[in-house]
């Protein structure tokens, strides 16, 4: 069996000043020193444009606000063939909304991810939950340091129990020593020393401890409270040293300035251990219960110190059974009384120290490294199975997005009395690029879908504009459709592409079957018949597929049309012949590369096969769609459509960007067609997963839609969404909403039927 040989850690790193940096560096050092002989490296996060003099272990740096750095880091880790990536996650150290940029990195990794969660929120907001769900999906294993973290993952985030590991915060392997020698080295001989250390910030509750000092001094006049640590860098940037100065002033006002010592230092580990060694009581008066992990608590506990703490989650677990003392939040008298008792009762304090030290031996960094290495090995073994499981269960494992009411205000704003504009600048229609028959055919499809779905429909006369555009696009001399028209209604060509011709036939076929206006159905039937013959001379597989989609509807409305039936078989056989010529075990497709609207090709075969009673068409379409949807599943389990950057690639795995709404819409339609063909619920789940892409279940965890207006961004770039909201995008989203609403209605009917059967049994 191949063992883990190289682990990369992602997180803050020393000499950056924060607890995550200390933890990342300590864990990396411990893994590197383990007998397993694992090579290690660190991907370090830089904050606010800061630069640090990192050690050699840091091989990659990421500026937290530059998403392109995350993408480059993922590419570098993949090229280096790292065996496991271990992420240190804390809200606030990664860029993007709720730290979403880290998802862009994780979604691109080829290796298993083990994520250490330094915080698990009990009540996340919507953005925090979305990012956490993406991190959970991307991770093969999740590590928490307390039982409370495991409970929250199980109950709040519905994480499977076998995905969670509890590994306590590591501690240095330091001997159990009396404080006298260290007191002498630090200049505190003859004093009873109370210590707090760590970066200074208001949530640490230092003022509560200062307020407790007068009562402590009544019983131990030699007591001194040492506050060791620099002010948190983020606080310095926004407020300077105002908080530290307020604490100094507070001690002065209480007349205890000589008994409170502020040491404005960020110390190295040997110095820190010396300070901990000298204290008689360590105190963490934190103000917030939701503190999942405290490295300062773990270190002091591990050195065998008597600890007094407020009952935040980590302290509650670590200090139970007499291993420490818990006091209420913000209760200065209680803290003062407990510390004074310990300082005046040597026997009790010594017994508490012994219990803490004995209990902490399993937490040394060497033991912690052993447990992490075992977790890395387990993650690596399970990685392939995990990817397969994501493919099968990706949609059901994620929160299903709400099915919205269809809002058409943006769509209507993109229309004038000529038709649907192609493009927009943000949400403002862009007249400079005019119109095209492609988008107006899509708009006609939407108008017909609104009628068939029983939705409110479009305002009077709007559908007629799209039909008029299609009619005007018809060039009877060439028997082809024009495509591009300028804003001043001048055709820019005498013929469009084969694909635009095929898409227009698709819209006409649907219109001929479902339009609510009988006269317009007759118009569509006639124009469909005129335009169909040219397709037999086309060479574009997409034009064939679009035409087949139109033929599926047209033939249902006009089963007597023998020429339409013949053409349907001709085009389906051509797709079958292409697939037979191109398909291999690893490339189950019709062409040597992937392009746009990919899922429409297998959808066309599936629908044609069902309508014609040709199981070979259906089987081939299902096979190709299954292969395509596997490619369009990111390691995180989210839908990742084939990106435009890879359209010219030959037999290459698809590029991730730019991602377009039209691909999600095609995938939804194709998967629902597959579900109706063979009944496998995985297809339904795949359709829902593709729909969730619109709502933020994507590589950037960014919603692309505005449900109030029905607008949809034009796609996802590598580092941001495309803020323009053009015609193709708004129609694609609206069509998908209609299909998902119909699916939800079917689900409801099935549930009602099942309930009725159960009641009747």
């Amino acid at each position: 069996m191949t063992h883990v040989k190289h682990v990369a850690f992602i997180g803050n790193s020393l000499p950056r000043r924060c607890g995550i940096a200390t933890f990342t560096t300590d864990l990396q050092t411990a893994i590197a020193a383990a007998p397993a002989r694992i090579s290690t490296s660190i991907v370090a996060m830089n904050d606010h444009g800061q630069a640090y003099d990192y050690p050699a272990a840091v091989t990659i740096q990421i500026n937290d606000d530059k998403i392109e750095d995350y993408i480059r880091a993922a590419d570098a880790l993949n090229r280096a063939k790292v065996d496991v990536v271990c992420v240190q996650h804390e809200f606030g150290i990664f860029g993007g909304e709720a730290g979403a940029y880290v998802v862009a990195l994780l979604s691109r990794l080829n290796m298993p991810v083990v994520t250490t969660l330094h915080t698990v929120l009990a009540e996340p907001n919507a953005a925090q939950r979305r990012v956490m769900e993406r991190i959970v999906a991307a991770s093969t294993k999740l590590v928490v340091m307390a039982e409370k973290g495991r409970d929250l993952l199980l109950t709040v985030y519905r994480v499977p129990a076998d995905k969670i590991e509890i590994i306590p915060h590591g501690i240095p392997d330091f001997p159990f020593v009396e404080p006298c020698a260290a007191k002498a080295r630090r200049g505190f001989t003859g004093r009873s020393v109370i210590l707090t250390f760590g970066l200074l910030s208001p949530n640490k509750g230092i003022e509560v401890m200062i307020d407790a000092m007068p009562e402590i001094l009544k019983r131990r006049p030699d007591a001194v409270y040492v506050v060791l640590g620099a002010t948190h860098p983020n606080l310095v940037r926004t407020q300077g040293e105002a908080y530290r100065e307020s604490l100094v002033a507070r001690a002065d006002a209480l007349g205890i300035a000589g008994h409170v010592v502020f040491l404005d230092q960020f110390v190295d580990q040997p110095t820190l251990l010396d300070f901990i060694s000298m204290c008689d009581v360590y105190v963490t008066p934190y103000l917030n219960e939701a503190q999942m992990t405290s490295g300062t608590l773990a270190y002091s506990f591990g050195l065998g110190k008597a600890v007094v703490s407020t009952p935040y989650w980590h302290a509650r677990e670590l200090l139970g059974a007499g291993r420490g003392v818990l006091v209420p939040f913000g209760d200065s008298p209680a803290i003062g009384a407990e510390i004074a008792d310990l300082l005046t009762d040597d026997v009790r304090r010594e017994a508490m120290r012994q219990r803490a030290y004995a209990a902490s031996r399993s937490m040394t960094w060497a033991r912690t490294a052993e447990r992490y290495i075992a977790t890395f090995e387990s993650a690596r073994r399970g990685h392939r199975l995990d990817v397969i499981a994501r493919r099968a269960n990706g949609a059901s494992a994620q929160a299903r997005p709400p099915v919205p009411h269809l809002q058409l205000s943006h769509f209507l704003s993109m229309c004038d009395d000529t038709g649907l504009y192609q493009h927009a600048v943000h949400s403002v229609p862009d007249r400079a690029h005019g119109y095209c028959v492609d988008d107006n055919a899509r708009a006609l499809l939407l108008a017909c879908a609104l009628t068939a779905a029983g939705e409110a429909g479009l305002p009077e006369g709007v559908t007629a504009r799209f039909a008029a555009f299609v009619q005007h696009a018809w060039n009877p001399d060439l028997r082809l459709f024009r495509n591009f028209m300028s804003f001043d209604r001048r055709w820019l060509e005498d013929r469009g592409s084969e694909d635009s011709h095929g898409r227009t036939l698709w819209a006409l076929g649907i219109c001929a079957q479902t339009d609510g206006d009988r006269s317009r159905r007759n118009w569509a039937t006639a124009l469909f018949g005129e335009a169909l013959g040219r397709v037999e001379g086309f060479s574009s597989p997409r034009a064939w597929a679009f035409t087949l989609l139109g033929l599926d509807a047209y033939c249902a409305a006009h089963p007597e049309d023998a020429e339409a039936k013949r053409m349907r078989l001709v085009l389906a056989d051509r797709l079958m012949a292409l697939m037979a010529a191109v398909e291999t075990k690893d490339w189950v497709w019709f062409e040597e590369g992937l392009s746009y609207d990919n899922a429409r090709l297998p959808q066309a075969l599936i629908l044609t096969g069902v309508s014609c009673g040709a199981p070979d068409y259906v089987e081939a379409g299902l096979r190709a769609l299954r292969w395509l949807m596997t490619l369009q599943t990111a390691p995180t389990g989210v839908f990742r459509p084939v990106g435009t950057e890879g359209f010219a690639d030959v037999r290459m795995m698809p590029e991730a960007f730019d991602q377009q709404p039209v691909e999600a819409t095609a995938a939804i339609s194709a998967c629902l067609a597959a579900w109706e063909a063979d009944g496998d619920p995985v297809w339904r789940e795949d359709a829902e997963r593709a729909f969730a892409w619109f709502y933020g279940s994507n590589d950037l965890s960014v919603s692309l839609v505005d449900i109030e207006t029905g607008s949809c961004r034009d796609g996802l770039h590598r580092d941001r969404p495309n803020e323009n909201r053009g015609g193709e995008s708004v129609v694609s989203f609206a069509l998908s909403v209609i299909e998902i609403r119909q699916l939800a209605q079917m689900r409801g009917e099935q549930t009602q039927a099942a309930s009725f059967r159960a009641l009747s049994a």
Side-chain angles (χ1 to χ4, degrees):
M1 181 177 64
T2 303
H3 294 285
V4 171
K5 294 183 174 65
H6 184 185
V7 176
F9 297 88
I10 300 175
N12 300 347
S13 175
L14 294 176
R16 180 173 171 178
R17 298 182 173 187
C18 74
I20 300 293
T22 300
F23 183 92
T24 304
T25 304
D26 285 347
L27 179 58
Q28 175 266 325
T29 302
I31 298 292
R37 305 178 111 181
I38 294 173
S39 172
T40 61
S41 59
I42 295 176
V43 178
M45 301 300 306
N46 294 334
D47 57 325
H48 307 284
Q50 300 293 312
Y52 300 95
D53 185 18
Y54 289 119
V58 173
T59 58
I60 301 171
Q61 298 182 41
I62 295 175
N63 293 303
D64 62 357
D65 59 347
K66 294 184 177 179
I67 195 168
E68 59 269 25
D69 284 8
Y70 294 80
I71 295 165
R72 280 196 292 267
D75 292 342
L77 291 169
N78 287 333
R79 285 195 304 271
K81 300 189 185 309
V82 171
D83 293 315
V84 175
V85 164
C86 183
V87 180
Q88 308 308 308
H89 182 265
E90 176 68 274
F91 287 103
I93 71 173
F94 301 108
E97 185 182 15
Y101 285 176
V102 73
V103 177
L105 189 163
L106 300 182
S107 68
R108 290 166 168 77
L109 295 178
N110 298 329
M111 68 290 295
V113 174
V114 174
T115 299
T116 302
L117 299 171
H118 292 258
T119 295
V120 183
L121 298 175
E123 298 180 355
N125 62 33
Q128 289 167 336
R129 178 181 287 278
R130 185 167 61 246
V131 170
M132 180 63 81
E133 287 174 348
R134 299 287 76 74
I135 291 170
V136 168
S139 304
T140 306
K141 289 285 187 179
L142 299 167
V143 176
V144 290
M145 303 184 203
E147 186 65 39
K148 180 66 176 181
R150 181 179 184 275
D151 291 344
L152 290 174
L153 288 177
L154 291 171
T155 58
V156 177
Y157 300 95
R158 305 296 181 185
V159 178
D162 61 359
K163 195 169 187 172
I164 307 168
E165 299 288 341
I166 301 176
I167 305 179
H169 195 296
I171 60 172
D173 192 359
F174 199 81
F176 185 83
V177 297
E178 296 302 321
C180 300
K183 285 182 182 180
R185 286 192 295 272
R186 296 294 161 189
F188 290 93
T189 300
R191 307 294 295 272
S192 294
V193 178
I194 309 158
L195 176 69
T196 292
F197 77 86
L199 293 173
L200 213 58
S201 61
N203 64 325
K204 298 296 178 65
I206 306 300
E207 58 269 43
V208 178
M209 181 58 211
I210 291 174
D211 290 347
M213 281 302 293
E215 291 302 314
I216 295 172
L217 291 170
K218 288 178 183 178
R219 297 172 62 184
R220 288 301 308 225
D222 64 338
V224 59
Y225 179 36
V226 178
V227 182
L228 171 64
T231 305
H232 198 290
N234 292 345
L235 199 62
V236 172
R237 271 190 289 271
T238 58
Q239 301 177 21
E241 292 290 352
Y243 179 62
R244 180 183 295 276
E245 291 164 0
S246 74
L247 295 177
V248 173
R250 195 182 197 104
D252 285 341
L254 291 172
I256 58 171
H259 293 272
V260 181
V261 177
F262 292 93
L263 300 176
D264 186 4
Q265 304 172 35
F266 188 88
V267 298
D268 59 19
Q269 188 177 96
T271 304
L272 173 60
L273 298 180
D274 207 38
F275 271 105
I276 298 174
S277 296
M278 78 167 185
C279 79
D280 298 289
V281 173
Y282 184 77
V283 60
T284 55
Y286 296 170
L287 302 178
N288 182 8
E289 177 188 46
Q291 176 91 20
M292 189 61 64
T293 306
S294 170
T296 66
L297 174 65
Y299 272 41
S300 301
F301 183 79
L303 265 67
K305 292 298 159 182
V307 179
V308 176
S309 176
T310 49
Y312 54 91
W313 290 334
H314 191 194
R316 213 181 298 166
E317 292 186 25
L318 201 60
L319 302 181
R323 296 186 294 267
V325 177
L326 297 175
V327 296
F329 292 104
D331 193 336
S332 295
I335 291 178
E338 290 291 353
I339 291 175
D341 284 349
L342 285 170
L343 291 178
T344 54
D345 188 340
D346 294 345
V347 174
R348 179 183 174 216
R349 187 175 72 252
E350 185 65 19
M352 188 177 294
R353 291 186 62 209
Q354 294 281 359
R355 283 193 292 271
Y357 190 79
S360 69
R361 292 310 84 203
S362 63
M363 296 166 53
T364 62
W365 277 116
R367 297 290 299 277
T368 298
E370 290 175 4
R371 298 183 67 174
Y372 265 95
I373 291 170
T375 301
F376 296 156
E377 294 286 359
S378 174
R380 193 156 188 262
R381 286 194 300 271
H383 182 53
R384 178 177 290 275
L385 292 176
D386 199 32
V387 170
I388 295 171
R390 284 178 186 145
R391 164 70 180 97
N393 303 312
S396 59
Q398 300 169 32
R400 186 177 295 136
V403 180
H405 293 291
L406 184 60
Q407 300 295 336
L408 294 171
S409 60
H410 179 67
F411 170 74
L412 293 173
S413 76
M414 287 291 293
C415 301
D416 66 4
D417 59 358
T418 299
L420 176 67
Y421 289 109
Q422 281 193 81
H423 298 298
V425 180
H426 288 258
S427 60
V428 178
D430 182 6
R431 294 176 173 178
H433 291 91
Y435 320 85
C436 65
V437 78
D438 268 328
D439 289 342
N440 280 273
R442 289 186 176 101
L444 184 57
L445 282 170
L446 174 59
C448 294
L450 287 168
T451 299
E455 300 277 356
L458 295 175
E460 184 69 26
V462 175
T463 304
R465 296 178 207 169
F466 309 136
F469 193 100
V470 169
Q471 177 62 51
H472 191 43
W474 175 243
N475 185 335
D477 295 331
L478 299 178
R479 306 188 69 77
L480 292 167
F481 290 100
R482 305 174 181 92
N483 193 10
F484 294 109
M485 174 190 279
S486 65
F487 176 65
D488 59 0
R489 295 187 177 180
R490 287 182 299 107
W491 288 110
L492 303 178
E493 57 193 358
D494 60 1
R495 70 184 70 194
S497 66
E498 292 183 1
D499 289 4
S500 65
H501 189 101
R503 184 176 285 104
T504 308
L505 280 169
W506 175 13
L508 288 169
I510 296 291
C511 185
Q513 181 192 30
T514 65
D515 195 291
D517 184 278
R518 180 178 178 181
S519 177
R520 200 158 44 233
R521 290 198 304 272
N522 292 337
W523 160 81
T525 297
L527 187 53
F528 185 94
E530 284 189 74
L532 179 61
R534 289 303 300 266
V535 179
E536 193 162 5
F538 287 178
S539 60
S540 166
R542 276 163 187 75
W544 303 340
F546 297 152
T547 303
L548 282 170
L549 295 175
L551 279 163
D552 189 65
Y554 177 87
C555 290
H558 299 281
E560 76 288 350
D561 192 328
E563 176 59 18
K565 290 181 179 179
R566 184 191 72 82
M567 184 67 78
R568 182 155 62 165
L569 296 178
V570 166
L571 298 180
D573 285 341
R574 286 184 182 180
L575 285 178
M576 292 290 287
L578 273 185
M579 192 168 172
V582 173
E583 181 181 6
T584 64
K585 178 183 178 182
D586 299 321
W587 191 265
V588 188
W589 198 239
F590 307 86
E591 303 167 292
E592 296 291 338
L594 292 160
S595 184
Y596 79 103
D597 249 344
N598 294 290
R600 298 300 183 185
L601 277 69
Q603 179 191 0
L605 270 186
I606 292 167
L607 291 178
T608 303
V610 169
S611 297
C612 296
D616 54 334
Y617 292 170
V618 175
E619 196 283 327
L622 293 174
R623 192 167 70 250
L625 183 60
R626 191 174 294 112
W627 177 82
L628 176 66
M629 291 305 292
T630 300
L631 291 187
Q632 294 189 134
T633 301
T636 57
V638 301
F639 178 70
R640 176 190 285 168
V642 173
T644 60
E645 292 177 2
F647 279 7
D649 293 345
V650 175
R651 290 189 183 260
M652 298 290 289
M653 290 300 99
E655 294 288 342
F657 297 97
D658 288 344
Q659 298 178 15
Q660 307 288 316
V662 69
E663 301 303 324
T665 298
I668 292 166
S669 296
C671 288
L672 291 179
W675 177 46
E676 291 180 5
D678 78 351
D680 188 341
V682 169
W683 294 120
R684 185 187 62 216
E685 292 167 359
D686 277 347
E688 290 172 333
R689 184 164 53 83
F691 185 62
W693 176 87
F694 287 106
Y695 283 84
S697 292
N698 52 51
D699 282 317
L700 300 187
S701 289
V702 173
S703 177
L704 297 175
V705 298
D706 178 355
I707 60 174
E708 298 299 322
T709 66
S711 70
C712 177
R713 294 177 172 92
D714 282 348
L716 285 180
H717 297 309
R718 285 178 169 269
D719 57 346
R720 68 195 186 284
N722 184 335
E723 291 297 340
N724 298 330
R725 301 161 192 242
E728 178 184 289
S729 300
V730 66
V731 172
S732 293
F733 176 60
L735 286 168
S736 294
V737 169
I738 292 170
E739 288 203 289
I740 293 298
R741 281 169 63 81
Q742 290 174 325
L743 175 61
Q745 184 178 359
M746 291 172 62
R747 279 178 174 275
E749 291 171 354
Q750 290 170 354
T751 301
Q752 277 190 326
S755 300
F756 179 77
R757 285 195 299 272
L759 289 171
S760 302

